[in-house]
Amino acid sequence: MMGRMTHAVQRPGPDAHGHRFPFESVADQYEAARPGYPPALLDAIEELTGRPLQGSRVVDVGAGTGIATRLLRDRGARVVAVEPGPAMAGVLSRVLPRVPLVRALGDALPFAGGSADLVTYAQSWHWTDPARSVPEALRVLARPHGALALWWNVPDPDVTWTREQEARLARRLPGYHAHGVTDEAARIVRGLCPALAPVFRRLHWTRRIPLDTHLAHLGSRSSFAALGPGEAAAVLADERALLLELFPDGAVEEAFAVDLTVTVASS
Ligand SMILES: C[S@@+](CC[C@H](N)C(=O)[O-])C[C@H]1O[C@@H](n2cnc3c(N)ncnc32)[C@H](O)[C@@H]1O
């Protein structure tokens, strides 16, 4: 089943820089260049869980540098960040010094049963073993209302230049994995726990950023981070030349789809 997931489960293993977890060699670049998530995503989480984020106990797993953690906190959630990678965790503790941070894996969460209203994975669930991380999330969630929210912010496949760029990157990057999970996460959760009723929703959004930031964003993806810097630079130089033809003023309109799957523990 996992092999068919377009956003296939990735096993942590040493990358070209000897790091065990992804993104460790690009943690600062990740924090600087990655897009956040649109307010509509947080609205959708509240709607699908049937509860406000304000005051809720949230465990944000695979928190990275804290991009989603910050948005959840800004909605008034009481967030604990969970991040196994030392460099990503280091950035998070620097930029969000007051957010509690635990170094752990989603496959074995160091929290008491029933202690969270919401467990979130912002484009990090595919790095876990779902057969372990789903039961762990369900154990930690309070009943009957607790919910698991999984989401990915992916290059929007409905936008031509974005789709063409992904095709180019797929040809050139050995470690490329397709972005876009559609409702695959919902199907995996349902396959593991047939009593659950995960709900899938896709949202579209854009951001306008300088070309350099777009290239830094690309370079922070795990398939670039796994390359040596020379090879990554060559691919990025070609992207720069192509994109300057499309966006001659140097402002790139990045287009995203957010694929969200919410599962309420009681259902
Ligand atoms: C793409 S980043 C997402 C970071 C952040 N959630 C965001 O929205 O920007 C994926 C993160 O998952 C972490 N990770 C890798 N394996 C993990 C696992 N088994 N359990 C939890 N997190 C993991 C990585 O260290 C990395 O920081």
Side-chain angles (χ1 to χ4, degrees):
M1 178 175 61
M2 295 302 134
R4 292 207 321 274
M5 191 174 181
T6 41
H7 214 115
V9 172
Q10 307 288 306
R11 290 274 157 263
D15 65 11
H17 310 270
H19 296 300
R20 180 170 164 235
F21 293 104
F23 311 104
E24 288 294 289
S25 58
V26 290
D28 283 310
Q29 185 177 343
Y30 190 106
E31 168 64 9
R34 281 282 174 134
Y37 304 100
L41 170 69
L42 300 161
D43 296 342
I45 291 171
E46 291 185 324
E47 181 197 325
L48 296 175
T49 60
R51 291 171 65 89
L53 286 164
Q54 175 74 41
S56 64
R57 298 164 297 171
V58 179
V59 175
D60 183 32
V61 191
T65 63
I67 293 174
T69 314
R70 181 186 294 109
L71 296 174
L72 292 160
R73 184 208 58 184
D74 290 350
R75 283 277 178 126
R78 289 146 53 196
V79 194
V80 175
V82 176
E83 170 53 47
M88 295 294 262
V91 175
L92 191 147
S93 57
R94 193 178 75 227
V95 299
L96 296 174
R98 282 206 275 276
V99 171
L101 167 64
V102 177
R103 296 278 306 286
L105 297 174
D107 316 76
L109 294 170
F111 302 109
S115 60
D117 302 310
L118 181 65
V119 172
T120 54
Y121 279 88
Q123 47 206 64
S124 52
W125 188 64
H126 57 292
W127 296 101
T128 72
D129 174 358
R132 297 173 69 188
S133 61
V134 171
E136 264 304 76
L138 294 174
R139 180 186 65 75
V140 164
L141 286 171
R143 305 301 174 98
H145 63 272
L148 171 64
L150 313 171
W151 70 86
W152 288 264
N153 193 41
V154 304
D156 193 334
D158 295 344
V159 173
T160 307
W161 81 261
T162 304
R163 197 172 54 242
E164 289 174 353
Q165 181 181 62
E166 289 303 304
R168 285 194 300 276
L169 298 179
R171 285 194 295 273
R172 293 193 65 179
L173 301 175
Y176 179 91
H177 56 273
H179 284 63
V181 291
T182 65
D183 62 349
E184 186 71 12
R187 280 187 274 143
I188 290 173
V189 171
R190 205 178 296 117
L192 288 167
C193 307
L196 298 178
V199 178
F200 169 74
R201 184 168 294 180
R202 172 169 274 193
L203 310 164
H204 298 268
W205 69 290
T206 62
R207 70 169 182 166
R208 203 168 168 77
I209 50 162
L211 176 57
D212 282 341
T213 308
H214 172 70
L215 295 173
H217 168 207
L218 285 187
S220 76
R221 280 165 54 167
S222 60
S223 47
F224 273 97
L227 288 178
E231 290 164 85
V235 179
L236 292 172
D238 290 346
E239 285 303 313
R240 175 185 295 279
L242 280 165
L243 292 174
L244 272 174
E245 286 173 24
L246 271 178
F247 303 102
D249 65 352
V252 174
E253 175 109 338
E254 286 186 333
F256 301 102
V258 180
D259 285 343
L260 168 69
T261 296
V262 172
T263 308
V264 177
S266 63
S267 37

